[in-house]
């Protein structure tokens, strides 16, 4: 307790009733959480079985447990209830199923969900009698269902955020999906919240059991709480209301996942009698970085007014970098990293490169590989190992070597041509018997039904069309041609959907692949490089000295001595899918979450912060991010274009 500052001590000493700790970046919120649990146990004699600590991720739950063990001891830690909202809810559901002797529901995996929704959206057939024949994206469909559940909306309710003229289509999709889950006794990730809320809301006895167990509730990253989680929290907390939440509205960046920042900004109105404590001392970043990040975030309107103060001494101001395109930008970033490492100032692992979308990693990886600098990508595979990238490269390998059986096997059914393992095995056996290479065996194999033959004809047509185009197109143009001839983009959108809200990162990866191919004059040279790049290890080995690459979303909660923020351009940050315009002017509310994302990136830096913008991205002209202008002109009076040499 002696090492806590006054605001931290005030928070830790709070015992009963609702309390919201608004913790600025680097202000020691995890320390406050663990110290408060320790005080409840040691000084208030609260058994740890009556304490519930809710974290945003499974990893954060593990880290909290590690910090708590030396404070409360291993024995007390075993009784502590610690986990994510989803894991705690699933625990409650499983308890109810066991005590009521009901059938257990097994979690539905990602593959099962996509296959089920794909079948529902497909045309009706004898094999698929429930098909809707609706040309709708699988990923968007799943995102729609998840959004409804996170807002506690069932198929019988008024649906949220759907066009009125399509509401019945959406409802039919939702109902069919729920029926398919029930038939196979499955529940999805979002059901854990929805079903737990329904169970506790409708069962007073069970609700009382868990409320009596969870006498003291602590919630981390409260700014990322969605409606379902908030309603469950209220059921858990009643009637004691010993709710202690920690978060930062300045770092609320998951609105596209249904998180609602107003739960933390309006905590006092939601929880009468609540106490609010501000943690405004930043122990992580230099005062220069804190100053500039404060300048940026003050442009947001819908937030609690607080000003972070730096505990650390002034160091260098953030550095602006300017490049012609993403490849030159990456080369400049890597050159600066090498200078820091070779000068003995930093190790590779001290440097993090942050970007808005995964496709931006392509240029960075190429530059790091070229310079023989080790790196690791967090939350994603290496660029040249991504499925869609490997698919297009496989097509290109066939054009370079028609006898490349591995490449043929990979893309024979991508896009879907209904040429499964049975056909492939027959074609291979036919080739073995008659001495044909695989491509010729596929062309000549007589053991093909007429239905399958259409798929064979489509595959061979694609290869022949691409062979003809190869002679007069460069590698970058060939990447585009493969996508056009095979209609890969349309298939990918339907097959995979989107992983990041409204965005489709896989299409962005294919655009980035064309940029990579554009650096080579010959297709053979590009393929050789891509194969070499794909075999490089980008795994995060403990203690490995590697440059850290990740998206801005992934970087939340982390910190690094040196941070590079790449692609500080309008359309990337803020992302073009997020920005709304009215009469040609940006709607202020539409970019608030993107501005918070930029703030998160800036406040990851401890000592050095670099912000980079380019003239072009993927061959198109782009403007510098509006956030750069907000930072520099307001704080210094110097126009951003002049400060950044634009």
């Amino acid at each position: 307790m002696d090492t806590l500052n006054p605001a931290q001590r005030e928070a830790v000493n709070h015992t009963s009733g609702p309390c919201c700790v608004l913790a600025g970046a680097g202000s020691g919120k995890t320390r406050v959480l663990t110290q408060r649990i320790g005080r409840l146990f040691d000084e208030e004699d609260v058994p740890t079985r009556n304490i519930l600590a809710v974290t945003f991720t499974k990893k954060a739950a593990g880290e909290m447990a590690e910090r708590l063990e030396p404070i409360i001891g291993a024995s007390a830690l075993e009784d502590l209830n610690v986990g994510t909202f989803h894991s705690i809810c699933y625990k409650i559901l499983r308890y109810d199923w066991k005590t009521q002797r009901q059938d257990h529901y097994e979690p539905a995996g990602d593959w099962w969900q996509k296959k089920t929704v794909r079948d529902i959206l497909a045309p009706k057939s004898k094999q698929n009698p429930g098909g809707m024949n609706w040309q709708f994206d699988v990923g968007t469909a799943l995102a729609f269902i998840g959004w409804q559940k996170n807002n506690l909306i069932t198929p019988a309710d008024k649906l949220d955020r759907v066009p009125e003229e399509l509401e019945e289509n959406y409802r039919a999709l939702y109902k069919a999906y729920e029926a398919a889950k029930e038939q196979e006794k499955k529940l999805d990730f979002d059901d854990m919240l929805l079903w737990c809320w329904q169970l506790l809301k409708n069962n007073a006895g069970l609700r009382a059991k868990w409320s009596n167990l969870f006498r003291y509730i602590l919630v981390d990253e409260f700014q990322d709480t969605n409606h379902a989680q908030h309603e469950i929290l209220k059921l858990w907390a009643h009637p004691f209301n010993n709710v202690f939440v920690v978060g930062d509205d300045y770092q609320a960046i998951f609105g596209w996942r249904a998180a609602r920042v107003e739960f933390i900004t309006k905590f006092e109105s939601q929880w009468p009698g609540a106490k609010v404590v501000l943690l405004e001392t930043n122990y992580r970043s230099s005062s220069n970085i804190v100053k500039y990040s404060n300048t940026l975030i003050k442009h947001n309107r819908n937030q609690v007014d607080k000003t972070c103060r730096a505990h650390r001494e002034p160091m260098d101001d953030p550095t602006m970098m300017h490049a012609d395109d993403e490849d030159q930008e990456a080369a400049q970033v890597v050159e600066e990293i090498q200078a820091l490492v070779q000068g003995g100032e930093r190790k590779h692992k001290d440097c993090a490169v942050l970007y808005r979308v995964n496709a931006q990693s392509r240029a960075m990886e190429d530059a790091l590989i070229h310079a023989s600098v080790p790196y690791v990508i967090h939350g994603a595979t290496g660029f040249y190992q991504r499925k869609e990238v490997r698919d297009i490269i496989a097509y290109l390998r066939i054009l370079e070597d028609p006898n490349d059986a591995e490449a043929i096997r990979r893309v024979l059914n991508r896009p879907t041509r209904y040429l499964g393992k049975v056909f492939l095995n027959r074609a291979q056996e036919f080739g073995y018997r008659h001495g044909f290479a695989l491509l010729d065996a596929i062309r000549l194999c007589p053991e093909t039904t007429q239905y399958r033959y259409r798929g064979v004809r489509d595959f061979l047509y694609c290869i022949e069309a691409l062979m003809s185009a190869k002679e007069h197109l460069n590698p970058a143009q060939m990447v585009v041609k493969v996508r056009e001839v095979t209609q890969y983009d349309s298939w990918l959108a339907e097959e995979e959907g989107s992983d990041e809200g409204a965005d489709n990162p896989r299409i962005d990866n294919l655009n980035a692949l064309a940029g990579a191919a554009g650096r080579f004059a010959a297709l053979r040279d590009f393929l050789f490089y891509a194969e070499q790049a794909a075999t490089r290890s980008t795994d995060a080995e403990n203690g490995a000295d590697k440059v850290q690459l990740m998206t801005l979303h992934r970087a939340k909660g982390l910190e690094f001595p040196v941070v590079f923020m790449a692609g500080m351009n309008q359309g990337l940050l803020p992302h073009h899918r997020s920005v709304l315009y009215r009469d040609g002017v940006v709607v202020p509310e539409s970019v608030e979450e993107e501005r918070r994302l930029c703030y998160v990136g800036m406040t990851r830096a401890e000592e050095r912060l670099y912000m980079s913008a380019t003239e072009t991205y993927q061959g198109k002209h782009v403007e510098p991010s509006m956030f750069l202008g907000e930072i520099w002109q307001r704080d210094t009076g110097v126009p951003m274009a002049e400060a950044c040499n634009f």
Side-chain angles (χ1 to χ4, degrees), residues 160-372:
D160 186 42
R161 290 193 175 186
V162 299
E164 187 174 346
E165 65 275 12
L166 293 175
E167 183 165 357
E168 290 313 306
N169 280 24
Y170 279 97
R171 193 182 308 282
L173 164 67
Y174 195 176
K175 285 182 177 178
Y177 174 74
E178 293 302 291
K181 285 198 297 91
E182 179 61 32
Q183 184 175 0
E184 297 198 30
K185 295 298 180 183
K186 290 186 178 293
L187 82 164
D188 63 29
F189 193 61
D190 300 308
D191 286 330
M192 295 177 188
L193 300 179
L194 176 61
W195 292 9
C196 184
W197 173 75
Q198 291 173 328
L199 176 66
L200 296 179
K201 184 171 178 287
N202 297 320
N203 189 323
L206 197 65
R207 186 167 67 245
K209 168 192 164 46
W210 292 102
S211 294
N212 281 318
L213 180 65
F214 301 151
R215 292 289 184 107
Y216 292 87
I217 304 175
L218 301 93
V219 184
D220 193 11
E221 303 289 5
F222 189 67
Q223 76 281 348
D224 297 325
T225 305
N226 63 38
H227 178 58
Q229 292 165 336
H230 194 247
E231 291 302 303
I232 291 167
L233 178 62
K234 289 197 286 189
L235 293 176
W236 285 343
H238 184 77
F240 307 105
N241 286 339
N242 292 326
V243 173
F244 184 90
V245 305
V246 180
D248 184 8
D249 54 318
Y250 288 5
Q251 299 184 68
I253 58 173
F254 291 107
W256 52 275
R257 284 186 184 167
R260 297 189 187 180
V261 68
E262 61 265 27
F263 290 145
I264 194 167
T265 58
K266 300 178 180 178
F267 187 83
E268 290 172 284
S269 62
Q270 295 276 350
W271 299 85
K275 180 177 185 177
V276 176
V277 180
L278 301 181
L279 300 186
E280 298 177 289
T281 302
N282 183 315
Y283 293 93
R284 174 190 302 149
S285 306
S286 71
S287 62
N288 309 65
I289 293 170
V290 172
K291 178 183 73 171
Y292 279 91
S293 58
N294 281 344
T295 299
L296 171 72
I297 203 63
K298 290 300 182 184
H299 283 78
N300 274 7
R301 300 175 181 178
N302 302 309
Q303 59 190 14
V304 177
D305 186 27
K306 62 181 185 294
T307 301
C308 287
R309 299 179 298 273
H311 179 74
R312 301 184 66 178
E313 294 297 318
M315 299 183 74
D316 294 336
D317 279 345
T319 300
M320 261 306 305
M321 301 172 69
H322 175 240
D324 292 338
D325 57 27
E326 62 267 37
D327 288 305
Q328 187 184 64
E329 174 185 56
Q332 290 177 354
V333 168
V334 173
E335 184 179 349
E336 184 66 19
I337 291 173
Q338 286 180 302
L340 292 171
V341 173
Q342 291 168 5
E345 191 174 344
R346 289 292 165 204
K347 294 182 178 180
H348 289 120
K349 66 182 179 181
D350 295 332
C351 303
V353 183
L354 312 182
Y355 36 80
R356 177 62 176 84
V357 296
N358 273 314
Q360 290 175 262
S361 78
R362 193 280 305 169
M364 289 297 164
E365 289 189 68
D366 284 346
L368 289 161
I369 292 169
H370 180 74
S372 299

Side-chain angles (χ1 to χ4, degrees), residues 450-494:
Q450 185 177 0
Y451 179 64
R452 282 185 176 140
Y453 179 71
R454 290 197 297 269
V456 172
R457 185 172 55 190
D458 176 70
F459 177 69
L460 294 175
Y461 163 79
C462 290
I463 298 302
E464 289 165 5
L466 292 170
M467 284 287 191
S468 299
K470 176 190 171 188
E471 300 305 320
H472 58 273
L473 296 180
N474 61 38
Q477 292 169 327
M478 279 306 302
V479 170
V480 175
K481 192 68 174 178
V482 169
R483 294 162 64 185
E484 290 176 353
V485 170
T486 63
Q487 299 183 340
Y488 189 90
D489 289 20
S490 299
W491 171 78
L492 186 63
E494 179 181 349

Side-chain angles (χ1 to χ4, degrees), residues 395-427:
Y395 274 108
L396 297 176
R397 284 169 53 188
I398 296 170
L399 304 183
E400 190 65 23
D401 177 10
N403 294 323
D404 190 332
E406 181 186 7
I408 293 170
R409 284 192 291 267
R410 180 178 183 92
V411 296
L412 180 63
N413 207 37
R414 297 177 73 84
T416 304
R417 299 184 178 96
Y418 303 100
L419 301 174
K421 289 182 179 179
V422 172
F423 168 76
L424 183 59
N425 289 337
R426 287 178 179 175

